Amino acid sequence: MTEKPDWRPSASLEMIRARASLLARIRDFFRQAGVLEVETPVCSRFGVTDPAIESLTTRYTGPTAPQGCDLYLQTSPEFPMKRLLAAGSGPIYQICRVFRDGELGRRHHPEFSLLEWYRPGFDHHALMDEVASLINRLTQAPLTVEKFSYHEAFDRYLQIDPHTASLEQLRDCAVEREVAGAGELIMDSRDAWLDLLLSHLIEPHLGETGMTFLYDYPASQAALAKVRDGTPPVAERFELYLSGMEIANGFHELLDAGEQRRRFLDDNRRRAATGLPQIPMDEALLDALASGMPACAGVALGIDRLLMFLTGCNDIRKLLAFDITKA
Amino acid sequence: MMCAAIDLFREEDMASYSTSEFKGGLKIMLDGDPCSIIENEFVKPGKGQAFNRVKIRNLKTGRVLEKTFKSGESVEAADVHETDMQYLYADGEFWYFMDPDTFEQVSADKAAVGESIKWLKEQDLCTVTLWNGAPIIVEPPKFVVLTITDTDPGLKGDTSGSGGKPATLETGAVVRVPLFVQIGEAIKVDTRSAEYVSRAKED
C-alpha cells in the first residue's frame, strides 16, 4: 500500500449501478414493511468485546474532548440501534459502513456495508422468514428456503453431535475428513474446531440450490442472542447461507442486562488470555437493557456479499468502488 | 549486505512470516521442505475463528498441496531465491553451474535438474532456484539453440513446414522438425513447449 495507487475504480460502472439498484430495492422493502430507517454514530467510546472481532480506532480532539479521546469505529451498529429500541423506536433498519481490522480476502474487506434491522415482537424464526422474503424480493426468481438447526447440519454432513462431541472428537473428525493441516493445528477451544468444521466441510454445501438457514447455535457461540434452556441449552441465533457463503447473522436478542454484562466480562477475560487488547464495554447499552428493551429479533446482512451472490461476482473487491489498496 | 549479516547474528529466531503476510509467491518452510504459496484464501465465520487456507507448491517435489493455518500463526520463512547461472558441465552425478558475476559454483543433483536435463547446453544461462544456497530447481532458457545429431533425410526442397519428422538433438532431446531440416543443422527450440521455432541461422 506504499505504492502510488491506480486512480481508477476497482468495480465496473455496471457493478456500481447494480449496488445502487440493490440499495433502492432494499429501502423499498422496508418502507412498505413500515420499518423506520435510522442512522447511528460510526464512532463510539465503546467497542465490541468479541475476541473474534477487532475494531479499527480513530481519535477525536475538540470541544468536549480537548485532550483528545480514542474512538472505536463500529463493527456493526447493534449497540446504538438497541438503545433506540429501548427508547421506543419500534421496528428500525440501517444501511451503514462497518469496519473490521485484519479481514481481507475474496469475501472479506476491512470496510464493508451492512444492512441491520430489528423487529420488536419477532423471534428468530419469524425474522428468518422476513429475511427470506426480502431475499426473494431481490432475486430474479424466488429461491427455495431450507432450515437446519446447527445440530442437524453437523449430523447431516459430518455425523457428529456439535453439542456433545469432545475437542478430540472434533479434531479427529477434521483429520479424518482431510481438512489439510488439521492434525497440526493447535486450538484449545471446542468452538474453534467447530468453526473449522463448519467453514471447511459444511458451509460449501449450504445454500447450494436456494437459501439455507442455520439456527440454534451452541450456547458458547451465543454472542448477543438469548439462550434457550433445554438439553443442551442453545443460542437462539441464526445465519443465512447463499452459494456456500455466509450472508446474514441474526439473534433473538438477549434482554437481560446482567447476563449481557457477564458475557462482555467473559469476552474480555478470553481476550486477556490470548493477549488481545481489553475493550471498554458499552455501558450505555447495558443501561438501555436495564431500562427495558422490548423483546425483539435482529439481523445483520452483508450487502456486498449479497451483491456478490446476485451478480455472480466471486471477489468482494470487484464490487467496491475502491478497495483498500486504492483507498 | 553488512546490515543483513549483523541481523543474522542478532536474531536468535529464524525469519518467519505471519499469516497476514501470506500472498502468492511467498516462500515458506513446511514439514522440512521449502514451499511456495500459490493461493491464499482468508476464511472466517463472522463471529468465529479465522483461518488461512493456502495452496502451496513443494519446491523440491513440485507437488501441490493444501493446508489450513489458524490466522495469526507464524510460519518459518524459506531462504529461497532464483538466480541466473551458467551451466558448465556434468560429471555423471552432478550438474555444475556458475554465478557469472561472482564465479561461485554450485552443483545440482538429478532431482534438481529434473526434466531440464534434455535442454542443458554448456555455457547457456539457466534460472537456478537456490535453497540455503543449494540448487533445488534448474530451469533452462526459454529458447535454446541445439544441433541436430540424428533425423531422417526427409524431402529436399520441402520448405512448407507442413508434416514434420522427429529429430534427436545434441543434448538427447527429441523434437518434431520440418522435413527440410537436416543433420548437423542448428535449430532454435522453445523449451516450455519442446517445439521447433526456426533454423538458428534464420534469426
Side-chain angles (χ1 to χ4, degrees):
Chain A
M1 272 189 271
T2 48
E3 284 169 42
K4 192 171 169 221
D6 178 358
W7 67 269
R8 289 167 299 186
S10 313
S12 64
L13 293 175
E14 187 189 3
M15 196 60 85
I16 287 165
R17 284 185 204 107
R19 177 184 292 268
S21 145
L22 174 61
L23 293 175
R25 283 178 295 152
I26 291 171
R27 287 195 163 99
D28 276 349
F29 177 90
F30 286 108
R31 188 175 40 76
Q32 286 167 22
V35 180
L36 180 71
E37 180 166 13
V38 297
E39 287 187 352
T40 56
V42 166
C43 301
S44 168
R45 287 167 293 151
F46 307 116
V48 58
T49 53
D50 187 334
I53 298 177
E54 281 310 309
S55 303
L56 292 170
T57 56
T58 188
R59 200 167 164 79
Y60 166 73
T61 310
T64 76
Q67 306 307 317
C69 71
D70 290 327
L71 297 172
Y72 293 89
L73 269 60
Q74 65 181 354
T75 62
S76 98
E78 178 156 7
F79 300 167
M81 287 182 82
K82 284 182 170 173
R83 287 162 64 190
L84 290 178
L85 289 161
S89 66
I92 47 174
Y93 82 98
Q94 172 158 207
I95 293 172
C96 59
R97 279 298 174 108
V98 299
F99 306 84
R100 298 187 186 181
D101 198 14
E103 302 189 6
L104 182 63
R106 284 197 306 120
R107 293 176 176 178
H108 296 82
H109 194 266
E111 172 180 356
F112 62 100
S113 295
L114 211 56
L115 161 63
E116 184 147 332
W117 79 97
Y118 289 87
R119 282 294 213 165
F122 279 33
D123 67 2
H124 56 316
H125 286 283
L127 190 54
M128 277 186 257
D129 294 343
E130 186 165 58
V131 171
S133 50
L134 168 66
I135 298 293
N136 272 338
R137 182 77 74 82
L138 303 170
T139 52
Q140 299 269 339
L143 301 174
T144 56
V145 179
E146 60 178 2
K147 288 181 177 181
F148 296 125
S149 70
Y150 192 88
H151 178 273
E152 282 166 350
F154 274 73
D155 184 53
R156 181 182 173 124
Y157 295 106
L158 302 176
Q159 293 82 52
I160 194 165
D161 184 335
H163 300 297
T164 60
S166 66
L167 188 149
E168 290 69 27
Q169 286 169 323
L170 297 172
R171 186 215 316 267
D172 289 349
C173 178
V175 172
E176 276 162 31
R177 308 255 172 180
E178 296 178 347
V179 174
E184 292 115 71
L185 281 174
I186 299 164
M187 301 194 293
D188 57 9
S189 103
R190 277 183 84 257
D191 287 314
W193 286 99
L194 289 171
D195 287 337
L196 179 76
L197 294 174
L198 183 67
S199 59
H200 284 64
L201 299 172
I202 300 178
E203 276 186 7
H205 301 290
L206 304 180
E208 264 182 317
T209 55
M211 289 180 239
T212 303
F213 287 95
L214 284 194
Y215 64 94
D216 286 357
Y217 277 61
S220 53
Q221 297 179 22
L224 284 87
K226 188 177 277 199
V227 171
R228 187 174 74 241
D229 285 338
T231 323
V234 291
E236 293 190 330
R237 171 181 161 195
F238 69 90
E239 292 206 341
L240 165 65
Y241 287 87
L242 292 171
S243 294
M245 183 162 55
E246 178 190 331
I247 298 286
N249 175 68
F251 304 136
H252 189 198
E253 302 291 349
L254 177 67
L255 304 174
D256 180 336
E259 171 62 15
Q260 186 62 70
R261 181 180 294 275
R262 277 189 292 279
R263 289 190 197 174
F264 282 159
L265 290 169
D266 186 52
D267 281 348
N268 266 332
R269 265 192 295 274
R270 286 192 288 147
R271 286 184 152 270
T274 48
L276 294 170
Q278 294 292 293
I279 305 294
M281 60 179 152
D282 194 333
E283 293 290 351
L285 170 69
L286 294 170
D287 287 349
L289 291 178
S291 83
M293 183 173 83
C296 62
V299 61
L301 185 153
I303 287 176
D304 311 271
R305 286 194 187 171
L306 178 58
L307 192 57
M308 284 172 73
F309 172 77
L310 294 171
T311 60
C313 172
N314 66 1
D315 194 324
I316 193 169
R317 289 164 285 202
K318 291 186 192 153
L319 45 75
L320 297 165
F322 300 99
D323 71 47
I324 188 150
T325 63
K326 296 187 174 207
Chain B
M1 287 303 285
M2 279 302 283
C3 292
I6 291 164
D7 275 348
L8 276 178
F9 286 114
R10 195 168 46 204
E11 293 279 315
E12 293 266 309
D13 297 321
M14 276 182 264
S16 64
Y17 296 116
S18 121
T19 54
S20 59
E21 296 173 87
F22 280 11
K23 59 178 180 182
L26 193 75
K27 309 292 192 296
I28 60 170
M29 291 299 295
L30 206 61
D31 303 326
D33 279 352
C35 297
S36 177
I37 294 180
I38 301 170
E39 242 177 62
N40 168 46
E41 185 163 21
F42 181 70
V43 179
K44 183 185 184 300
K47 301 193 175 290
Q49 177 67 50
F51 300 99
N52 285 68
R53 189 157 55 192
V54 294
K55 205 180 265 183
I56 305 175
R57 174 172 284 110
N58 180 317
L59 294 173
K60 281 180 77 180
T61 63
R63 215 171 292 148
V64 173
L65 57 144
E66 285 195 3
K67 190 164 164 87
T68 294
F69 295 92
K70 196 169 74 165
S71 298
E73 265 187 296
S74 283
V75 185
E76 190 189 333
D79 173 17
V80 169
H81 68 277
E82 285 182 0
T83 180
D84 285 341
M85 298 186 98
Q86 197 172 41
Y87 171 54
L88 298 178
Y89 64 97
D91 64 7
E93 192 180 359
F94 292 106
W95 286 255
Y96 296 86
F97 296 83
M98 182 182 73
D99 184 316
D101 297 324
T102 64
F103 307 113
E104 197 183 325
Q105 289 186 25
V106 296
S107 58
D109 63 12
K110 189 161 184 170
V113 178
E115 287 288 293
S116 303
I117 285 178
K118 62 182 179 189
W119 305 117
L120 290 185
K121 188 182 169 190
E122 290 165 14
Q123 315 303 326
D124 274 359
L125 217 49
C126 299
T127 303
V128 178
T129 303
L130 299 168
W131 172 41
N132 296 332
I136 49 168
I137 300 172
V138 172
E139 284 174 89
K142 289 186 180 70
F143 299 99
V144 290
V145 172
L146 296 170
T147 303
I148 296 175
T149 56
D150 190 32
T151 189
D152 281 343
L155 292 168
K156 294 247 175 184
D158 180 331
T159 55
S160 66
S162 63
K165 59 185 179 179
T168 306
L169 309 179
E170 57 182 310
T171 54
V174 177
V175 296
R176 271 199 96 67
V177 299
L179 297 176
F180 58 80
V181 179
Q182 303 302 330
I183 294 179
E185 283 190 83
I187 59 165
K188 186 174 170 185
V189 181
D190 184 333
T191 59
R192 295 162 295 183
S193 57
E195 276 169 8
Y196 167 89
V197 178
S198 63
R199 279 171 155 157
K201 283 178 208 151
E202 289 170 3
D203 268 0

